Amino acid sequence: FVYYPNPVKSILNVSYNQTIDSVSVVNLLGQVVLSKTINSNEGTVDMAALPSGTYIVKVVSGTQYDLIKVVKQ
């Protein structure tokens, strides 16, 4: 998985060499604050509406997933 930029101001870009099914943004309380279906090798997540802080981004591709720690400015 490739993701940038981190820290993010508004748009988080994600890419993978296989199809990304979905991306979920979870706050540190464990609440899903944003969820998006991608169905492509590349996608963007608009985090502009979220308050500043640290989030965990779960990127799912088939049976694989990766958890990314992202700082929102």
Side-chain angles (χ1 to χ4, degrees), residues 19-23 36-40 59-64:
T19 300
I20 298 171
D21 297 323
S22 64
V23 176
K36 183 176 182 181
T37 302
I38 303 287
N39 290 327
S40 177
V59 182
V60 178
S61 175
T63 59
Q64 300 179 25

Side-chain angles (χ1 to χ4, degrees), residues 3-5 8-15 20 22-26 33-38 42-50 55-59 68 70 72:
Y3 61 95
Y4 61 93
V8 63
K9 292 186 180 180
S10 59
I11 301 293
L12 176 69
N13 299 287
V14 293
S15 63
I20 298 171
S22 64
V23 176
S24 307
V25 180
V26 181
V33 293
L34 185 64
S35 185
K36 183 176 182 181
T37 302
I38 303 287
E42 298 180 356
T44 60
V45 180
D46 187 355
M47 298 178 68
L50 299 177
Y55 294 90
I56 303 298
V57 178
K58 182 178 182 180
V59 182
I68 303 163
V70 175
K72 166 69 169 66

